[in-house]
Amino acid sequence: MASPRYSLLRTLIPFDIYGGMKLTGKYFGKVLRQANRGPKRTHVVVEYPEVAVTLQPRFRGRLQMIKDEQGEIKCVCCLACEKICPTQVITIEKGKKEGRKTPFPLQYDFEMERCIFCEFCVESCGFDSIILNHQFELAGYDREDFSHGMEGQFQNMFSITPVGHYSVASED
Amino acid sequence: MFKTEEMEINLGPQHPSTHGVLRVKLHLDGETVVRCVPMIGYLHRGVEKICENKTFFQGQVWTDRTDYVASVSNNLGWAEGVEKLFGITVPRRAHYIRTMLTELNRITSHLLWLGTHALDIGAMTVFLYAFREREEILSIFEAFCGARLTTTAFRIGGLREDIPPGLEKQVRAFQARFLDCIEEYETLLTENRIWKKRTIGVALLNAEDAIALGVTGPVLRAAGSTYDIRKVFPYAAYAEMDFDVPTQTAGDTYARYLVRLEEMRQAHRIVNQCLDGLPEGPVMAKLPKVLKSEVNEVYHAIEAPKGELGYYFVGEKGGVNPYRMHIRAPSFINLQALPKMVEGRLLADVIAAIGTLDVVLGEVDR
């Protein structure tokens, strides 16, 4: 504890407020030196819709199906992703295709409105046929915007969600 | 001519300083609180019941959503609880990485507490500085597991993947400047006369009452107890770490503030030790394809940023999901101390008391 004489001095002279103001002033000075008008420009803020945000490589975005080099769908309908999914957003319809030994997904329904982006499906997949891509602009106007199907549909599992095109970044 | 009467008012559920949807029914005599009843349940989702219908593997995603500012701690509690139930031994490297991330998560949780608690009491500046550092740690989580808040960081038996290249550098860069950042918060608050007037002697809770109410964590340690599960029942890699348990004796809001700041320094120390002593080896144990439990029960407690976080599992024969799952949520039990802290005190101190308890409503209601 401080001596009574020192604490009286501290009551009269606001050292504490001076210290706090000094810290704030330091950062004000730093901003003035480094912001747009200064010689050395360092931006902290990203002008987001115009400038793309850098994402980490492991970022968990929307579920996407991938094809191999021959353009063939890698998925063999083992239903591992359907079983592991904590919110049951994946429904697969098994089918056959001419000239393909393994089963072929006739329908792969992905209901994004309930997806929690946990990446368990990708982890369970033994054939590396699905990934979580880096798309995060996933807002939609109605429920249909969130259901994804196979190729040929407006929103499908192979391209990025078209609702992303409503963002300012892709307007031009 | 004039008569006085007790008035009943509701604080919340949509009040910005109740940190969520907490409703507190207050009986006031003038500005003095006569009776205080916390009303909870506005965020109840039935997480425990949901987890009983999910497999041990799937249930982890719900633990992200109980205490959403300390989700890595919750993931650790779940993973270690299930490992205890099945007797799985986790590789040493996985333990070290888990400990490091959990301690970083303790820092984020305390930074969020510091910023919002100071903002409630009237100190605006600290909020901005605290969130600047929190952002940096959330980037580390994003680099490790791909998400910032709902991390789902660990897996039963270890980790999904090893730490990515560059993460160690990122953590070390943060570690290098974090102690100076704590100094900045201290400059703004510790000696500030307004902060001291608002916190010293406010929301008192002595150690006896705290133990009787089951309060744990920094709130208990600020009253003089040294109970810390990291020391008493070491889990993960804490047995190999060198750290102190900060305590204070006053048991008021200011003491809790000092304890939490010191805890951040200790967490900084532990993260450094984890990085320096990171052993080589695998990060995942060998697991059977389907985890099927026997008839047994397990309680596993960890020291979450808010207090003792316990996971209780009951297994049935051949079951792939827990027969019964219960979470001992520190926020829920610490909230019991609120009436004890504020009855007979002023209305303005209720805000300080809610802030100092550091409740997260997602965890209170579950």
Side-chain angles (χ1 to χ4, degrees):
Chain A
M1 284 306 285
S3 69
R5 204 172 142 205
Y6 180 60
S7 61
L8 178 72
L9 204 68
R10 235 178 7 186
T11 314
L12 292 175
I13 309 169
F15 288 118
D16 48 342
I17 295 179
Y18 169 72
M21 292 306 284
K22 198 175 139 192
L23 182 73
T24 311
K26 193 181 104 188
Y27 280 103
F28 260 101
K30 206 173 164 188
V31 168
L32 286 178
R33 267 185 283 112
Q34 295 188 343
N36 280 342
R37 67 196 81 176
K40 187 183 152 210
R41 295 180 184 188
T42 43
H43 287 259
V44 179
V45 178
V46 180
E47 293 172 1
Y48 154 62
E50 285 83 20
V51 181
V53 190
T54 51
L55 294 170
Q56 303 286 351
R58 288 186 185 177
F59 182 80
R60 307 203 297 243
R62 206 210 79 197
L63 183 67
Q64 190 175 353
M65 284 182 97
I66 46 177
K67 296 177 176 176
D68 59 8
E69 297 82 41
Q70 284 83 44
E72 192 71 23
I73 297 165
K74 278 179 162 185
C75 177
V76 296
C77 301
C78 65
L79 308 186
C81 50
E82 197 183 312
K83 273 181 208 141
I84 200 81
C85 182
T87 47
Q88 288 108 40
V89 297
I90 301 168
T91 319
I92 304 171
E93 202 185 308
K94 222 172 180 172
K96 279 250 181 272
K97 195 185 164 190
E98 293 277 317
R100 185 179 152 130
K101 281 176 194 162
T102 48
F104 176 82
L106 284 177
Q107 200 54 256
Y108 193 102
D109 286 333
F110 169 52
E111 302 288 330
M112 200 178 61
E113 69 222 24
R114 278 183 289 125
C115 181
I116 55 174
F117 308 103
C118 60
E119 217 175 9
F120 281 1
C121 46
V122 178
E123 202 180 330
S124 72
C125 184
F127 301 90
D128 299 328
S129 63
I130 43 177
I131 53 161
L132 290 192
N133 62 15
H134 283 192
Q135 194 190 2
F136 58 89
E137 292 164 325
L138 296 169
Y141 288 106
D142 47 45
R143 287 197 95 144
E144 280 75 49
D145 287 344
F146 294 103
S147 48
H148 295 71
M150 291 301 280
E151 261 175 317
Q153 296 188 11
F154 181 55
Q155 284 144 330
N156 61 54
M157 295 297 297
F158 297 93
S159 58
I160 64 157
T161 309
V163 286
H165 290 304
Y166 296 129
S167 87
V168 189
S170 54
E171 236 168 35
D172 41 68
Chain B
M1 200 163 75
F2 298 109
K3 68 182 175 72
T4 60
E5 58 178 81
E6 268 181 33
M7 197 169 70
E8 187 186 306
I9 66 156
N10 284 308
L11 180 73
Q14 270 84 33
H15 192 281
S17 65
T18 55
H19 296 209
V21 282
L22 172 66
R23 174 175 158 220
V24 186
K25 214 155 89 180
L26 295 166
H27 290 258
L28 296 179
D29 178 16
E31 270 206 68
T32 315
V33 178
V34 181
R35 208 152 64 83
C36 157
V37 187
M39 315 284 276
I40 58 168
Y42 289 89
L43 204 58
H44 180 72
R45 294 149 293 174
V47 168
E48 291 175 8
K49 193 70 196 167
I50 293 170
C51 288
E52 285 165 20
N53 295 314
K54 301 287 168 191
T55 62
F56 288 105
F57 190 78
Q58 289 173 336
Q60 197 194 14
V61 296
W62 269 274
T63 63
D64 288 335
R65 288 155 179 82
T66 55
D67 181 358
Y68 39 78
V69 299
S71 47
V72 177
S73 286
N74 282 267
N75 296 159
L76 182 74
W78 175 275
E80 294 216 323
V82 175
E83 281 152 14
K84 209 170 175 181
L85 185 71
F86 291 104
I88 300 163
T89 319
V90 178
R92 197 151 159 266
R93 185 178 171 86
H95 270 320
Y96 267 69
I97 297 170
R98 280 178 174 190
T99 310
M100 183 183 85
L101 289 169
T102 313
E103 286 307 311
L104 285 172
N105 195 220
R106 189 182 310 280
I107 296 175
T108 58
S109 177
H110 283 349
L111 283 177
L112 187 122
W113 162 81
L114 179 71
T116 52
H117 178 46
L119 190 66
D120 288 345
I121 294 185
M124 174 83 202
T125 323
V126 194
F127 176 76
L128 304 170
Y129 295 131
F131 268 61
R132 181 187 59 185
E133 272 75 66
R134 184 169 180 265
E135 191 66 23
E136 213 166 306
I137 305 182
L138 292 187
S139 305
I140 293 170
F141 291 159
E142 193 189 333
F144 176 72
C145 59
R148 297 157 62 81
L149 211 60
T150 52
T151 48
T152 319
F154 309 132
R155 296 289 182 272
I156 296 157
L159 309 170
R160 187 190 166 200
E161 283 173 294
D162 209 331
I163 50 172
L167 188 94
E168 191 177 335
K169 204 177 145 204
Q170 206 178 347
V171 179
R172 282 208 194 272
F174 169 76
Q175 291 285 94
R177 54 180 282 267
F178 184 60
L179 284 182
D180 294 337
C181 296
I182 300 183
E183 287 300 316
E184 283 179 0
Y185 316 142
E186 289 234 55
T187 316
L188 288 165
L189 292 178
T190 308
E191 285 302 319
N192 190 308
R193 59 190 67 194
I194 306 165
W195 177 255
K196 279 170 119 174
K197 280 242 165 75
R198 283 301 308 269
T199 53
I200 291 179
V202 170
L204 280 167
L205 188 74
N206 59 29
E208 277 156 39
D209 286 339
I211 291 166
L213 288 162
V215 171
T216 45
V219 184
L220 176 65
R221 288 195 285 275
S225 169
T226 54
Y227 182 69
D228 187 322
I229 296 167
R230 289 176 292 171
K231 284 276 187 203
V232 185
F233 306 108
Y235 56 93
Y238 285 108
E240 297 164 34
M241 298 293 153
D242 174 33
F243 65 101
D244 304 323
V245 178
T247 53
Q248 292 281 327
T249 46
D252 59 0
T253 309
Y254 190 67
R256 282 168 218 136
Y257 156 75
L258 293 176
V259 165
R260 287 203 175 99
L261 275 192
E262 190 55 37
E263 268 191 17
M264 282 201 263
R265 290 206 181 89
Q266 297 302 328
H268 176 271
R269 260 178 82 187
I270 297 174
V271 172
N272 266 347
Q273 287 171 41
C274 286
L275 277 179
D276 293 337
L278 197 63
E280 292 297 319
V283 290
M284 191 71 184
K286 279 221 160 28
L287 290 183
K289 197 147 195 195
V290 184
L291 290 173
K292 284 203 171 135
S293 63
E294 292 295 312
V295 184
N296 58 357
E297 53 182 337
V298 150
Y299 176 77
H300 185 73
I302 66 159
E303 184 73 26
K306 284 153 189 86
E308 178 180 341
L309 170 73
Y311 280 91
Y312 174 67
F313 294 99
V314 179
E316 58 181 336
K317 190 158 174 59
V320 290
N321 40 9
Y323 178 73
R324 175 79 177 94
M325 201 279 281
H326 175 68
I327 307 171
R328 187 224 185 262
S331 297
F332 172 66
I333 290 166
N334 287 4
L335 190 64
Q336 300 187 96
L338 183 66
K340 192 94 196 168
M341 281 177 173
V342 299
E343 276 172 9
R345 305 269 167 173
L346 295 178
L347 172 63
D349 292 345
V350 178
I351 304 298
I354 294 170
T356 192
L357 279 173
D358 192 14
V359 288
V360 166
L361 269 294
E363 193 177 42
V364 172
D365 295 335
R366 298 197 291 290

